[in-house]
Amino acid sequence: MRVIIASLICGLLFGLGLLISGMSNPARVLNFLDLSANWDATLAFVMGGAILVAAPGMYWVRKRNKPLFADKFDIPTSTTIDAKLILGSAAFGIGWGISGFCPGPAVVAIASLQADVLLFVGAMIVGMLAQHWLKPKSA
Amino acid sequence: MENWTSTPFEPFAGLAGGLLIGSSVVLLLYTLGRIAGISGIAAGAMTQQGSERYWRLAFLAGIVLSAVLYIAFTGGMQVQTQMGSAWLVVAGLLVGFGTRLGSGCTSGHGVAGLSRLSPRSIVATLTFMCAAVITTTIIRHL
């Protein structure tokens, strides 16, 4: 139960951060990605602010023996830079550049109940499941 | 000629939001030992079983709840899509497939990965940032 509550609170904080900074509005994100004319640099301050807390915070947490409510830290260890990483990130970037939605803001925007948002989230889920079913079972 | 919605540059709101997002990343690592990557959490909420599924569903519920509370206290939230429905479907498929193939998105690679100086995350972030800037520029200016 404490795991669920901790996770719920983390989700709340995360969503609130996206809302306060206006990242849940795709118009604002696209005005960051479009460097010309009326450039809106807010997104850079969001990422900067997040890293300002997360870099020292994660460093401090990882020096502990284990998490509060789990047996061990579950952190990716791979350092292999392969075609999947590059192609996947490029495909994501193209979709992000078209829509102004990355997964976090898209989940936040569900609450607006706008048909276009639900359409995007539905397609995103299909894309995620397609990758899951297509990948080799050994991986 | 252009009909894109303009938005004001708000560095302080951005910084405040960023601090909250960073706190969420640190708190999830401190309590559950997990990386707050939204694409991985969303995919795992559908494909994992049991407790591996439940904490992810709780995180996503927290995100949606934050928006419900935000609307309740401020009277609404701005979500101004800039492209037609067909384009949004194409974009959704690319974002869903791409983030899973590349093992992360703006949160997992862009915030948590850069924060721990992961070489994979640095490459991924540079790649999706460049791809997104080029895509938006082509759509709006060519």
Side-chain angles (χ1 to χ4, degrees), chain A residues 2-21 23-43 45-58 60-62 64 66-70 72-99 101-104 107-112 114 116-117 119-120 123-134, chain B residues 4-36 38-40 42-43 46-47 51-52 54-71 77-107 109-116 118-121 123-125 127-129 131-137 139-141:
Chain A
R2 55 193 187 171
V3 166
I4 299 298
I5 291 168
S7 189
L8 186 85
I9 290 169
C10 288
L12 261 171
L13 282 174
F14 200 101
L16 209 57
L18 291 172
L19 285 155
I20 285 173
S21 57
M23 292 301 110
S24 45
N25 187 0
R28 162 154 276 179
V29 174
L30 290 172
N31 287 338
F32 171 81
L33 296 173
D34 178 4
L35 304 175
S36 70
N38 302 310
W39 191 45
D40 178 354
T42 307
L43 190 146
F45 284 74
V46 180
M47 281 193 75
I51 290 171
L52 210 61
V53 174
M58 291 175 82
W60 170 74
V61 168
R62 291 177 69 187
R64 301 173 62 86
K66 64 189 196 69
L68 217 48
F69 305 143
K72 60 176 176 56
F73 290 108
D74 195 341
I75 295 168
T77 51
S78 168
T79 53
T80 317
I81 291 161
D82 54 9
K84 284 197 324 186
L85 182 77
I86 308 273
L87 288 176
S89 299
F92 160 48
I94 293 169
W96 191 32
I98 293 172
S99 62
F101 281 127
C102 53
V107 175
V108 173
I110 289 173
S112 74
Q114 289 178 29
D116 273 352
V117 174
L119 213 53
F120 176 91
M124 182 176 84
I125 289 171
V126 170
M128 286 177 168
L129 291 176
Q131 196 278 334
H132 181 75
W133 300 123
L134 288 175
Chain B
W4 312 112
T5 308
S6 67
T7 51
F9 170 44
E10 292 178 329
F12 295 108
L15 207 55
L19 297 179
L20 281 175
I21 293 168
S23 307
S24 166
V25 170
V26 175
L27 189 63
L28 192 71
L29 190 67
Y30 178 73
T31 53
L32 306 198
R34 299 293 185 138
I35 299 290
I38 310 303
S39 57
M46 295 181 287
T47 59
S51 61
E52 282 297 306
Y54 298 140
W55 76 263
R56 290 180 168 91
L57 285 173
F59 191 96
L60 296 173
I63 293 184
V64 175
L65 184 61
S66 75
V68 172
L69 291 173
Y70 186 87
I71 292 168
M77 65 185 284
Q78 276 197 318
V79 181
Q80 296 160 304
T81 54
Q82 306 288 294
M83 299 290 279
S85 304
W87 278 111
L88 290 177
V89 169
V90 171
L93 291 169
L94 284 168
V95 169
F97 195 90
T99 51
R100 293 321 302 138
L101 189 65
S103 310
C105 59
T106 340
S107 47
H109 281 314
V111 175
L114 290 194
S115 290
R116 60 191 183 89
S118 151
R120 273 172 60 84
S121 292
V123 169
T125 305
T127 305
F128 66 66
M129 278 289 178
V133 166
I134 292 167
T135 302
T136 307
T137 303
I139 289 172
R140 292 192 171 191
H141 302 287

